[in-house]
Amino acid sequence: MRKGKVWSLAIMLLLVLSTVLAACSGGDNESGEKDKEKDASEQSGSGGGETLVFGRGGDSTSLDPSRTTEGETFKVTINLFETLLTFEDEGTAVEPGLAKSWEPSEDGLTYTFELQEGVKFHDGTDFNAEAVVKNFERWASGDAEKHPYYNSMFGGFEGDEGHVIESVTAEGDHTVVFKLTRPQAPFLKNLAMDMFAIASPTAFEEQGDDDFERNPVGTGPFKFVEWKPNDSITIERFDDYWQEGLPKLDKVIFRSIPDNAARLNALTAGEIDLADGINPSDGASIEGNPDLQLFERPSMNVGYLGLTVTREPFDNKLVRQAMNHAIDKQSIIDAFFEGRADIAVNPMPPSVSGYNDEIEGYDYNPEKAKELLEEAGYGDGFEMELWAMPVPRPYMPDGEKVAEVIQKNLADIGITAKIVSHEWATYLELASKGDADAFMLGWTGDNGDPDNFLYVLLDEDNIGSNNYTYFKNDETHELFIEAQTEVDEEKRIELYKKAQEILHEEAPWVPLAHSIPLLAGSKDITGFLPHPTGSDLLSNVDLER
Amino acid sequence: MLSYIGKRLLQLIPVLLGMTFIVFMIIRAIPGNPAQVILGQQATEEAVAALTAKLGLDKPWYTQYFDYLKGIMTGNLGESMRTRAPVAEEIWPYLAATFELALFAMIIAVVIGINAGIISAWFQNSWFDYTAMILALVGVSMPIFWLGLMGQWAFALELGWLPTTGREPVRDPVAAITHLYVIDTIIAGRFDQLGQVLRHLVLPGLALATIPMAIIARMTRSSMLEVMRSDYVRTARAKGQKMFFVVYKHALKNAIIPVLTIIGLQLGMLLGGAILTETIFAWPGIGRYIYEAIGYRDYPVIQSGILIVAFFFVMINLIVDLLYSFIDPRIKYD
C-alpha cells in the first residue's frame, strides 16, 4: 500500500512537471538572450535621465507601423521610427523630418526630397536615399494584409491601376525623387503619416516581416528594448540620435492598464507618470489634485448619429433634417462630455483645413422638427431602432447614455426609438451592411486632411466599408474626386466647402460632437504636447523631479 | 492506479475534441468578420476580401475545422490573426501569469477558507461562526470589479502599502525566464524583486480569492460538522485526546474530501475566469488574452486558448481525484 502511494505520487508529479516544462521550453532561449542584451545596454546607457511610464488602455498589435491600422501601435512606433516629413507639434501642417527639404514640380507629378545627412538606424545602418527606396519597394510590393494603409493612401500596390506612385528613385546618396502617375493633393500629408516611417532595410531584409515587427529598427529618438505582451513595452534613449540633445528621457515604458479607473489609480499612486483615456468625468478631480496635471488633446474627431439613407423613412431628406433639429446636442455635451467637446456642425472638425465655418448647424428646435415630419408625411411619427455604441471611444465616452437622451429627444417629436446594442465587432459588421436604421459612430482623423473625413465617410466609393449610411450623391462624388487631384490648396478648399454645403442640406448624419480627448500626468512632466493624431512624440518630454 | 490514469487520459480525447468543435462552431456563428476587425474601420473592401482569403476564412467550415484539428495533432495551434505570432509560442507568458495569480489566490483561499470553516464548525453557533458565515455570504456576492477598485483605493492610494496594478516593479522589471515571476526572481537571486512581486500579487490575489475562499469555508464547515458528529470522533474525545488534535488530525482528514473537490473545481474556474481581476489589475493573463481575442474575432487564439484552459481544468480534476486515495486509502480506482 505504502509503496503504491509513492509510485502514483511520483507519476502525478511527472505529469504536472512535463506539461509545465513542455509549455515553457519554447520561450527559454529567446528570453535568455534578451536579458543578456538588456544587461549590456544597461551598462552602456548614459544614465542620469529619467524613466517615464506611460499608461494606456491597450497593447500594441505590432511594432511595424506599416503593418497595422491600430492606433495603440503608433503611440509607440512614432518614438522608434521617423517619417520623411512630420506633422507640426500640435497640428497637421507638414514639416521637415528625415527629409530636410522638398520640391514639387509644377504639374504636381514629381517631388524631389533632400534627405538629412549623418542619420543612422539603431542597428548602425546608414540612413540614405537607398533606404528610402527600399522601404517604398517593400510596401508597394506587398498586399492589403501586409501593408493595409499603403493601398488606401496611395491608390493600390505596384501594378494596380489606381497606384499613384510610379517610381521612387535615389539620385545620389541624399536625394530621392518620387514620380506620380497623377497629382495627389494629400501626398505630402500621407508621407507624414506614422505608417510610412522609414525602417532599417538591413533589419527587415535579414529578419523577415514577422520577426521585424517584434524587433523594430528605425532612426527615432528611442530604440526598442523589450515587449511583454499585454503588459509593457520598454524603449530607451538612442545615443546616436541625429538631433542634438534629444531625447531628454532615458527610458519610456508603455504599460497597458485596460480599466480607466484603475489607470487613474495607478497614476495617483505614482506608479505611472502619464495616462491617456481619461474619462471626461475625472477631469475636474485631476485639475484639483496638486500632484497632477491635465492635458487636452486638440480635437480631430467627430462623433455622429448616422442615418441609413437606404432605409425607410430615412430615405426622405425631410425626415433626416427633422432628426437634426430634434436632438439637443448641447445638453448631451454638457452631461456626458462634461463640456469638453464642441457641437459638431459638419462631418469634420474645425481643426481640419477646408472646414466650412459659414454653415450654420441645425439648431435644437422640436417644433421645427415636427413641422418637417408633417411635411414628409410622418406627422404621426414612426418607430425605429437606435443603435448605441457598446464601447467608449474618444469621440463618444458613453454611447448607451447618450442614446437614452437621443431617445427622449425623439420621443418629444413623436418618434419611438428602440435602443439596440451589439457587441462591438458585430455592431460594426451589421452597420456596415446597412442593417441599422440609425447608429452612433465616430471617426478620428489620420492626417488632418478633409479627404480623410469627407471622402472616406460619405462617398459612394466607400459604401460597404466606411460609408455606413449608404449615402450617395453625384455632386459630392465629383467634388471629392476633383479635390483628390487638385494641387492648388485654395481651389481645393473651395471644393470641400461646397461639398459640406450639400452634405448639410442632405443631412445623412446628425453630427454630434468633436470631443477633446483627455490625458493626465504627474506635475513633473515638462514638454509634453499631445498631438491631434493621437500618437505623441516624446523626445522633448522630460521629468523634473 | 496506472490503468485508471490511462483510462482518464483516454477519456480526455473525446471531451477535448467535442469542445474544439463546439467552440469552433460558436465563434463562427457570431457575426463579425475577423479580417474587418483586424484591419479596422479604415480598411478598404478589397483589403478585407484579401485578408479573408489569406486567413483561409473563405474556405468551407469543415475544411477549416479539419485543418485546425490537423494542426493540433502536429502541435501547431495556429497563428494569431491579429499579432501573427504562433499561438503555441505566444500563450505561455499569459498562462504563466494567470497560473501564478490563481495559485496564489488559491493558497489564500484554502488556508483562510479551511481554517475559518473548521473553527466555525468547532465553535458552532458562536459569534465567530456567525461572523464568518455572514462574511462568506458577502464574499460570494461581492462583485470583483468593485472589490478590486476599493482594494486599490484603500491599500494603494490611502495607505500606500501595495501597488495598484501590474505584476512587477515597473521601473525595475523582472527578467522573464519561466514567466512565473516568483520563480524567476529566485533564479536570478533578486530577493528584493521577489518581495515586490509578492506585493503585486496581494491585491489581485485577494480579489480573486474572495469567492473560492467563501465557498471553501462554507463547504468545510458543513463537512466538518457532519464528521464531528460521527462515532470515531466521539470515541477519540472520550479517550481524552486534545480537541485541537481531534479536529485537525482525525476529523479534518475525513471532512476534506468534498472540500478537495470544490478546490479543484474552483482552481479550474480561476484559470479561465479571471478576466475581471486581470482587467482591473492590468494583469497580463490568459483570461484577458482570450477575452480580447473574442473582441477581435481572433479565431485561432480563442480556439486554442479555450482548449488549453480546458485541458488544465481536466488535468486539475484528475489530480484531485487521485489525491482522494492518498487522503483516504479506502478509495480505490480499479
Side-chain angles (χ1 to χ4, degrees):
Chain A
M1 191 73 219
R2 198 78 217 160
K3 216 173 172 185
K5 254 189 191 180
V6 174
W7 264 111
S8 33
L9 181 67
I11 286 164
M12 234 170 49
L13 275 176
L14 259 178
L15 263 173
V16 177
L17 258 178
S18 60
T19 42
V20 170
L21 283 179
C24 62
S25 59
D28 260 343
N29 290 336
E30 215 179 327
S31 50
E33 268 168 35
K34 251 187 216 150
D35 296 336
K36 264 179 236 154
E37 275 169 33
K38 221 176 78 194
D39 289 342
S41 63
E42 254 166 23
Q43 280 157 14
S44 68
S46 59
E50 290 273 5
T51 299
L52 177 100
V53 186
F54 190 158
R56 55 185 186 144
D59 197 10
S60 300
T61 45
S62 164
L63 288 176
D64 178 350
S66 74
R67 291 194 74 180
T68 174
T69 57
E70 210 174 27
E72 291 300 341
T73 291
F74 307 128
K75 285 179 190 168
V76 180
T77 61
I78 192 173
N79 293 293
L80 299 173
F81 293 94
E82 288 171 302
T83 39
L84 287 179
L85 306 175
T86 61
F87 294 121
E88 62 184 338
D89 281 347
E90 288 179 287
T92 52
V94 169
E95 288 184 346
L98 284 175
K100 56 185 173 192
S101 64
W102 61 94
E103 195 61 50
S105 67
E106 212 140 277
D107 56 4
L109 288 175
T110 310
Y111 287 83
T112 309
F113 292 87
E114 293 298 326
L115 305 181
Q116 297 283 358
E117 289 170 32
V119 178
K120 280 202 184 298
F121 288 104
H122 304 153
D123 61 357
T125 309
D126 284 321
F127 165 76
N128 53 26
E130 200 48 46
V132 176
V133 172
K134 280 187 178 160
N135 272 276
F136 274 86
E137 275 172 0
R138 172 177 180 237
W139 300 325
S141 64
D143 54 47
E145 194 257 337
K146 272 188 174 160
H147 305 297
Y149 256 106
Y150 184 83
N151 61 329
S152 54
M153 305 320 287
F154 296 116
F157 293 102
E158 210 166 20
D160 290 353
E161 202 185 320
H163 191 205
V164 172
I165 299 180
E166 190 182 288
S167 66
V168 185
T169 41
E171 292 192 358
D173 253 6
H174 296 99
T175 309
V176 177
V177 179
F178 285 75
K179 281 209 162 53
L180 308 187
T181 52
R182 56 189 155 87
Q184 187 190 36
F187 179 66
L188 292 175
K189 280 195 169 163
N190 288 351
L191 287 187
M193 290 169 70
D194 297 327
M195 21 282 165
F196 305 117
I198 306 299
S200 161
T202 327
F204 64 70
E205 279 168 5
E206 272 174 14
Q207 299 179 7
D209 287 338
D210 286 346
D211 278 337
F212 180 75
E213 72 182 336
R214 286 181 269 280
N215 298 288
V217 182
T219 59
F222 295 92
K223 59 182 184 189
F224 172 72
V225 179
E226 194 190 16
W227 184 0
K228 289 182 175 169
N230 257 355
D231 187 21
S232 63
I233 293 177
T234 307
I235 61 178
E236 69 181 10
R237 125 188 223 105
F238 174 43
D239 288 328
D240 291 329
Y241 186 56
W242 59 281
Q243 295 199 43
E244 274 306 302
L246 297 181
K248 292 177 176 158
L249 292 165
D250 240 18
K251 218 186 227 184
V252 180
I253 299 168
F254 294 89
R255 270 192 69 196
S256 322
I257 305 178
D259 186 74
N260 283 2
R263 200 175 325 118
L264 185 56
N265 279 347
L267 177 70
T268 314
E271 288 161 30
I272 60 177
D273 305 300
L274 189 59
D276 76 357
I278 294 293
N279 290 331
S281 53
D282 289 324
S285 78
I286 291 162
E287 281 171 328
N289 185 334
D291 295 330
L292 300 179
Q293 52 181 326
L294 192 69
F295 298 102
E296 293 188 340
R297 190 185 289 290
S299 177
M300 202 168 76
N301 62 38
V302 59
Y304 64 89
L305 180 71
L307 309 172
T308 310
V309 301
T310 48
R311 295 174 77 93
E312 253 185 287
F314 303 102
D315 51 352
N316 188 327
K317 182 167 90 181
L318 295 171
V319 173
R320 302 198 297 263
Q321 291 177 340
M323 299 277 287
N324 267 282
H325 277 300
I327 293 169
D328 185 1
K329 301 171 187 175
Q330 188 62 53
S331 73
I332 290 176
I333 288 174
D334 290 343
F336 303 114
F337 294 77
E338 307 279 321
R340 291 181 203 272
D342 297 316
I343 289 186
V345 172
N346 290 315
M348 62 188 213
S351 58
V352 171
S353 59
Y355 180 82
N356 192 336
D357 48 16
E358 279 159 30
I359 293 176
E360 261 188 55
Y362 292 94
D363 57 333
Y364 171 57
N365 190 340
E367 287 312 310
K368 178 92 198 200
K370 273 189 215 162
E371 278 168 34
L372 285 165
L373 276 188
E374 188 79 53
E375 204 185 326
Y378 291 96
D380 299 332
F382 53 85
E383 287 183 12
M384 60 173 278
E385 281 188 357
L386 172 64
W387 287 29
M389 274 180 58
V391 291
R393 282 289 179 272
Y395 45 76
M396 187 59 63
D398 192 335
E400 309 230 348
K401 285 196 183 131
V402 172
E404 282 169 25
V405 177
I406 295 177
Q407 184 185 41
K408 167 81 176 50
N409 285 159
L410 293 177
D412 289 344
I413 62 163
I415 301 176
T416 314
K418 189 178 139 217
I419 295 179
V420 173
S421 195
H422 297 283
E423 180 268 344
W424 187 226
T426 309
Y427 185 97
L428 288 177
E429 168 147 325
L430 294 180
S432 77
K433 283 187 183 150
D435 278 2
D437 289 332
F439 56 89
M440 294 161 83
L441 210 59
W443 182 260
T444 300
D446 293 316
N447 59 0
D449 193 86
D451 185 70
N452 184 248
F453 278 87
L454 300 182
Y455 172 75
V456 172
L457 299 173
L458 287 159
D459 190 77
E460 59 182 72
D461 290 350
N462 288 309
I463 287 177
S465 66
N466 283 306
N467 181 353
Y468 291 74
T469 58
Y470 283 66
F471 177 74
K472 194 170 178 235
N473 182 294
D474 293 342
E475 250 184 296
T476 53
H477 178 66
E478 271 169 37
L479 289 168
F480 293 151
I481 297 300
E482 199 186 332
Q484 285 179 341
T485 52
E486 177 58 67
V487 234
D488 182 336
E489 190 64 18
E490 289 297 309
K491 279 192 202 155
R492 197 162 174 255
I493 284 174
E494 280 315 307
L495 295 173
Y496 283 118
K497 285 195 169 169
K498 179 87 187 90
Q500 285 166 73
E501 279 168 29
I502 300 167
L503 291 171
H504 181 256
E505 170 69 20
E506 291 291 325
W509 289 6
V510 182
L512 296 172
H514 307 297
S515 75
I516 299 166
L518 298 178
L519 297 98
S522 119
K523 66 167 185 342
D524 306 327
I525 294 178
T526 58
F528 177 64
L529 299 173
H531 197 268
T533 55
S535 14
D536 306 311
L537 181 63
L538 301 170
S539 56
N540 269 308
V541 175
D542 207 353
L543 279 165
E544 288 177 0
R545 291 197 232 259
Chain B
M1 185 74 174
L2 269 182
S3 73
Y4 174 76
I5 296 179
K7 230 189 283 166
R8 283 287 297 262
L9 287 177
L10 278 179
Q11 278 171 7
L12 261 178
I13 296 170
V15 169
L16 292 178
L17 200 66
M19 220 206 52
T20 59
F21 185 72
I22 293 169
V23 172
F24 184 90
M25 294 314 280
I26 287 178
I27 54 174
R28 276 167 179 75
I30 47 175
N33 176 0
Q36 176 70 59
V37 188
I38 292 163
L39 293 175
Q41 270 173 272
Q42 262 85 347
T44 60
E45 233 172 313
E46 302 88 73
V48 174
L51 182 56
T52 308
K54 175 132 190 183
L55 295 172
L57 296 173
D58 52 348
K59 290 190 216 162
W61 68 266
Y62 48 84
T63 318
Q64 292 183 42
Y65 182 64
F66 284 112
D67 284 350
Y68 167 53
L69 284 189
K70 241 187 278 169
I72 298 177
M73 302 295 177
T74 55
N76 175 8
L77 297 179
E79 236 177 45
S80 161
M81 292 178 175
R82 189 166 151 239
T83 65
R84 289 176 281 258
V87 177
E89 270 175 35
E90 200 181 51
I91 206 164
W92 174 247
Y94 296 107
L95 203 56
T98 300
F99 226 76
E100 194 168 75
L101 178 60
L103 272 180
F104 189 78
M106 220 52 220
I107 292 170
I108 300 178
V110 167
V111 170
I112 301 181
I114 289 191
N115 284 299
I118 291 172
I119 300 172
S120 288
W122 187 350
F123 301 107
Q124 198 193 352
N125 298 332
S126 68
W127 65 267
F128 182 92
D129 184 21
Y130 289 126
T131 326
M133 286 310 113
I134 288 170
L135 279 181
L137 192 65
V138 174
V140 183
S141 33
M142 193 90 80
I144 286 189
F145 63 90
W146 187 83
L147 202 70
L149 287 173
M150 283 304 119
Q152 282 180 7
W153 171 76
F155 295 102
L157 295 184
E158 292 299 318
L159 298 169
W161 292 349
L162 296 164
T164 58
T165 50
R167 291 184 73 186
E168 56 181 348
V170 192
R171 290 179 174 83
D172 180 20
V174 175
I177 303 162
T178 64
H179 292 276
L180 294 161
Y181 286 1
V182 171
I183 295 177
D184 288 353
T185 48
I186 296 174
I187 294 175
R190 292 285 308 273
F191 293 98
D192 51 328
Q193 271 188 338
L194 175 63
Q196 284 285 340
V197 166
L198 288 172
R199 285 180 61 217
H200 279 84
L201 273 164
V202 175
L203 278 181
L206 275 174
L208 198 57
T210 314
I211 291 175
M213 189 178 357
I215 295 175
I216 291 169
R218 291 164 60 111
M219 193 70 205
T220 311
R221 178 180 179 272
S222 63
S223 179
M224 278 298 278
L225 281 176
E226 206 172 301
V227 174
M228 301 252 282
R229 283 191 210 104
S230 61
D231 292 341
Y232 81 94
V233 172
R234 204 174 306 132
T235 314
R237 292 184 62 184
K239 274 162 62 183
Q241 283 195 335
K242 284 239 166 59
M243 189 61 180
F244 183 86
F245 189 71
V246 173
V247 168
Y248 276 87
K249 178 87 201 298
H250 295 299
L252 182 59
K253 211 171 166 190
N254 284 301
I256 203 75
I257 299 275
V259 178
L260 206 59
T261 313
I262 294 287
I263 293 174
L265 284 174
Q266 289 293 322
L267 185 59
M269 308 252 273
L270 290 189
L271 271 188
I275 301 167
L276 279 175
T277 314
E278 288 174 3
T279 302
I280 299 289
F281 291 99
W283 198 270
I286 190 94
R288 234 173 87 209
Y289 178 60
I290 297 175
Y291 176 75
E292 277 172 19
I294 292 172
Y296 280 91
R297 301 289 186 273
D298 196 339
Y299 294 162
V301 172
I302 307 171
Q303 286 162 188
S304 304
I306 295 181
L307 182 68
I308 288 176
V309 172
F311 175 76
F312 277 102
F313 190 95
V314 181
M315 289 309 288
I316 289 168
N317 279 299
L318 174 59
I319 293 169
V320 167
D321 286 354
L322 295 178
L323 274 179
Y324 293 162
S325 73
F326 292 108
I327 293 167
D328 187 348
R330 287 171 304 181
I331 298 175
K332 290 218 177 77
Y333 294 106
D334 306 314

